[in-house]
Amino acid sequence: QESIVNAIRSVPTLTYAAAAQVVDAAIAAAEAEGVPVNVAVADPGGNLIAFARMDGAALMSGRIAQDKAYTVSAFNGLPTHRWYPMIADEPALLTGIVHTDRLVVFGGGMPIMVDGALAGAVGVSGGTAEQDVRISTAAAASVA
């Protein structure tokens, strides 16, 4: 029985209330930036918990926001803005990995950490890469 106990681990996961708080923080940050965005919050497995598309945000950016959150979850909390610098000098990787379904290699996806563990991720899309990073960073920091 001890081997079964050692084979199970608990993973913290955002509640819907926490995900909604992240969405609200992202919208407030986007309003401060003056840019309409899509916001997606996912659990550590990349499953969507909450989503919002601000008035005027591009429809296609909705899927991108969800994929940014998924990318962060799928790679154990690696923010999406860190991808391109890691692969820029690796031609084979740069050419190949960007074709991976749902992988986003530009800014706007941030991990949501709770007590040092990945509890979810937020993806923001609709502004410039820099705006999306600032908005997603503020949103992720809203859960402490």
Side-chain angles (χ1 to χ4, degrees), residues 26-81:
I27 290 171
E31 288 173 341
E33 292 272 349
V35 60
V37 298
N38 290 271
V39 182
V41 179
D43 67 16
N47 302 295
L48 188 64
I49 301 172
F51 176 80
R53 181 165 70 102
M54 294 175 67
D55 293 342
L59 183 60
M60 185 172 272
S61 291
R63 172 48 78 185
I64 296 169
Q66 292 176 47
D67 288 348
K68 287 179 182 184
Y70 178 84
T71 297
V72 172
S73 292
F75 285 93
N76 301 317
L78 182 67
T80 58
H81 70 271

